[in-house]
Amino acid sequence: MCVVTEDDRPERAVALRPLRAAVIGAGMAGILAVIKLREAGIDDVVCFEKADDLGGTWRENTYPGIACDVPSHVYSYSFAPNPDFSRMFSPGEEIHEYLRRVAVDHGVLDVVRFGEEVRTMVYDDGGWSLTTSSGRQGHFDVVIAATGVLHHPRLPDIEGIDVFEGAIFHSARWDHDVDLAGRRVGVVGTGSTAIQITGAVVDDVAHLSLFQRTPQWVMPLDNQPIPPQQRAEYREHPERLRELREFLETSFAENFADAVVDADSAALAKIEDICRANLEQRVTDPVLRRRLTPGYRVACKRLVVSGDFYDAIQRPNATLVTTPIDRIEPSGIRTADGTLHELDVIVLATGFRVDRFVRPIEVSGAGGRSLDEAWADGPLAYLSVAVPGFPNLFLLNGPNGPVGNFSLIQVAELQVSYVLQLIALLREGTSTAIEPRADATAAFEAERVEAAQRTVWVTGCDSWYLDARGVPAAWPWPFRRFRDVMAEPDLSAFQL
Ligand code: NAP
């Protein structure tokens, strides 16, 4: 047992119980969790990473054109500002590099066990027994699952997907051995991923066919490089970088994130005007413009941000295919009008299974109840961080949290600080097992579902935000509310 003295109140020295913590996943949130656990004085930390590299989504998504559409100076840790981002919206590889650097600088690699996938977690005796793919077992007092949201590729249910004789892969499993130069490439989907790929590859390929099931609104983006002298200024004057971050955080929240949760807001109307004008001005052919015009409100689906998509799709070697796909054949994609679109490569930019949180790990909670059973009607967590019946298990970027319209790094930082306050109760001996109360979780969920009805996400489109009930699986309030509730746990909502 170690004795720690709080700096500000030395008279209240507390004997802290040593805790053993497991972090699952070494992506953006897992790296953060390791850093913050150790800063809090919890040194016995193991981070399990199933792959052989860290970086999560930025390791897995390496498709051409990948970038983050949240400004990089906000999509970065508050404690590790990066003056050297090359653009306001930096490419994926740069973000991956940044995460790697932060992890190295904070000694995170020392505790990561690469190539070890957690297979089972069983709650017993105030802690969790974990078994990994290597057969190792370990017992931990707390587990932080940082297993990601957009993680499990969703393959489309298209007949003949196995018979194609060219190269075919999901956007998150990009096959870099396939050279696209001079090839006939088909991209299925029109989400953020497909739009980025289209802009990035159109000039290299012989022909690009974009298979659009549903058109997207596109927010224009002017993503110029940040000049070297400006980066030098950020390096020499960290306070200017801090100011930039604060400005971006506020304007991103007020002008975008808060707008989409209020379908009647003036800010959303402004976004609508911008997107409509973008389409009007950038697409000259009225027939193509009509085919690219969505029949739903701007930002009902996750808004696509792109500076080059409309130009790309108007290139002579690009075709927008709007006739539904009938099936895939050995030499291409046949659409419902009988046309065979002959292709050498098919990219499935068809999104992710967003309801798989934590799974396929088999999680057996208090009383032997599995997470699959608890979530039979869909994933549910109190404030997206903890699940009734699963004590001492905390989720980062868990179900129904702020996703899609915020910097997930900001979100994870707030969640970690909230979780650490709960973990402090375990260390101080106030509790040995913490879980949210079922009634508090149900009340939160009822309020969330009700608030979700005011968001733009329910105004008449289908999207990955909507769960099986058609309820947006997302935080339906302004970001400041999330910041407020994450500031300090309301312990009346927990069973200690
Ligand atoms: P997505 O938004 O879920 O888009 C999937 C696309 O595939 C949709 O256009 C969908 O059409 C289409 N599709 C699915 N099944 C199909 C089928 N059987 N036949 C034809 N089309 C089919 O996935 P994503 O583009 O990978 O993006 C997921 C999320 O990742 C984004 O919303 C964003 O949050 C994040 N992301 C962010 C960035 C960024 O920061 N710039 C980049 C990439 C991804 P329907 O619309 O008709 O369903």
Side-chain angles (χ1 to χ4, degrees):
M1 197 156 275
C2 60
V3 177
V4 168
T5 305
E6 291 176 17
D7 290 343
D8 52 346
R9 285 179 297 177
E11 71 283 5
R12 290 192 55 206
V14 207
L16 297 180
R17 178 184 152 213
L19 292 183
R20 185 148 204 253
V23 174
I24 308 178
M28 170 277 287
I31 293 168
L32 170 71
V34 171
I35 293 171
K36 292 294 168 183
L37 280 164
R38 299 211 302 195
E39 268 178 24
I42 299 169
D43 290 322
D44 196 355
V45 180
V46 178
C47 177
F48 295 99
E49 169 53 60
K50 66 180 175 183
D52 58 5
D53 187 15
L54 49 74
T57 202
W58 303 104
R59 178 197 65 231
E60 290 190 348
N61 287 275
T62 58
Y63 60 79
I66 183 168
C68 183
D69 59 9
V70 173
S72 303
H73 295 103
V74 179
Y75 192 84
S76 45
Y77 302 110
S78 61
F79 56 88
N82 179 16
D84 294 314
F85 278 125
S86 65
R87 290 169 188 267
M88 194 56 86
F89 302 89
S90 298
E93 179 49 31
E94 211 175 296
I95 298 168
H96 192 190
E97 262 314 308
Y98 164 77
L99 293 176
R100 218 180 258 132
R101 201 165 59 241
V102 173
V104 169
D105 289 350
H106 289 78
V108 172
L109 298 189
D110 301 346
V111 302
V112 181
R113 289 197 193 148
F114 288 108
E116 283 220 48
E117 180 171 2
V118 175
R119 291 274 166 80
T120 65
M121 290 173 51
V122 178
Y123 182 74
D124 54 32
D125 214 13
W128 289 93
S129 291
L130 269 53
T131 312
T132 71
S133 47
S134 71
R136 280 207 227 188
Q137 294 193 329
H139 194 267
F140 297 87
D141 303 296
V142 294
V143 175
I144 296 182
T147 43
V149 188
L150 298 159
H151 179 57
H152 296 283
R154 191 180 57 193
L155 293 176
D157 187 13
I158 300 175
E159 187 192 326
I161 199 163
D162 299 326
V163 304
F164 185 59
E165 286 173 350
I168 181 167
F169 45 83
H170 187 272
S171 54
R173 299 286 181 271
W174 195 271
D175 186 344
H176 290 277
D177 291 337
V178 176
D179 186 2
L180 298 189
R183 316 287 290 279
R184 297 163 302 175
V185 177
V187 175
V188 180
T190 49
S192 302
T193 303
I195 298 298
Q196 288 182 338
I197 293 170
T198 299
V201 306
V202 71
D203 287 335
D204 295 334
V205 303
H207 192 89
L208 185 132
S209 305
L210 180 65
F211 293 85
Q212 168 185 284
R213 189 164 67 179
T214 314
Q216 287 274 9
W217 289 110
V218 179
M219 182 86 174
L221 171 76
D222 183 20
N223 194 18
Q224 296 299 324
I226 299 176
Q229 57 276 28
Q230 181 143 19
R231 293 190 233 166
E233 189 184 323
Y234 291 147
R235 226 174 291 126
E236 283 154 30
H237 301 280
E239 72 284 0
R240 299 208 185 133
L241 192 53
R242 235 182 350 261
E243 281 161 20
L244 173 69
R245 183 187 173 99
E246 279 163 21
F247 166 76
L248 290 170
E249 271 179 14
T250 310
S251 69
F252 194 68
E254 287 175 358
N255 299 324
F256 187 66
D258 294 358
V260 296
V261 293
D262 179 0
D264 300 325
S265 63
L268 185 60
K270 208 163 147 191
I271 296 172
E272 285 179 333
D273 290 346
I274 293 169
C275 293
R276 281 181 194 282
N278 189 33
L279 179 59
E280 285 290 320
Q281 289 159 11
R282 301 290 285 276
V283 181
T284 47
D285 173 6
V287 176
L288 180 63
R289 193 159 62 220
R290 200 168 49 248
R291 295 167 70 215
L292 285 168
T293 305
Y296 56 84
R297 287 189 60 184
V298 169
C300 182
K301 283 176 180 283
R302 166 62 144 79
L303 192 56
V304 166
V305 181
S306 172
D308 60 11
F309 171 65
Y310 286 145
D311 290 346
I313 201 65
Q314 293 175 89
R315 291 276 211 283
N317 67 331
T319 305
L320 179 74
V321 182
T322 52
T323 308
I325 294 173
D326 180 38
R327 60 183 182 272
I328 295 177
E329 297 187 358
S331 57
I333 293 181
R334 192 171 295 276
T335 44
D337 57 1
T339 307
L340 176 65
H341 303 262
E342 288 188 280
L343 300 166
D344 303 306
V345 180
I346 298 177
V347 176
L348 302 168
T350 45
F352 299 86
R353 298 185 61 192
V354 292
D355 62 347
R356 299 299 297 151
F357 290 97
V358 186
R359 279 77 54 85
I361 302 172
E362 286 174 30
V363 185
S364 172
R369 187 158 192 252
S370 74
L371 199 55
D372 279 336
E373 283 172 76
W375 285 354
D377 294 331
L380 180 62
Y382 177 67
L383 294 178
S384 108
V385 296
V387 186
F390 296 81
N392 300 359
L393 168 63
F394 304 104
L395 316 177
L396 300 181
N397 293 315
N400 309 326
V403 56
N405 301 294
F406 304 89
S407 158
L408 280 191
I409 296 194
Q410 253 183 306
V411 170
E413 282 198 37
L414 292 166
Q415 290 176 330
V416 165
S417 103
Y418 180 96
V419 165
L420 279 171
Q421 293 176 65
L422 295 173
I423 292 177
L425 301 175
L426 300 172
R427 297 178 82 200
E428 289 161 8
T430 309
S431 169
T432 53
I434 297 181
E435 62 178 290
R437 295 166 59 96
D439 57 351
T441 306
F444 163 71
E445 177 62 1
E447 203 188 347
R448 194 190 69 78
V449 168
E450 209 240 305
Q453 299 313 310
R454 291 188 285 280
T455 67
V456 71
W457 306 316
V458 294
T459 56
C461 69
D462 191 16
S463 79
W464 64 263
Y465 285 144
L466 302 181
D467 68 15
R469 304 165 296 174
V471 174
W475 182 260
W477 297 288
F479 193 62
R480 61 183 172 279
R481 174 165 170 160
F482 184 70
R483 200 183 280 280
D484 289 349
V485 294
M486 283 293 112
E488 190 181 351
D490 169 6
L491 293 186
S492 69
F494 287 88
Q495 225 161 278
L496 301 177

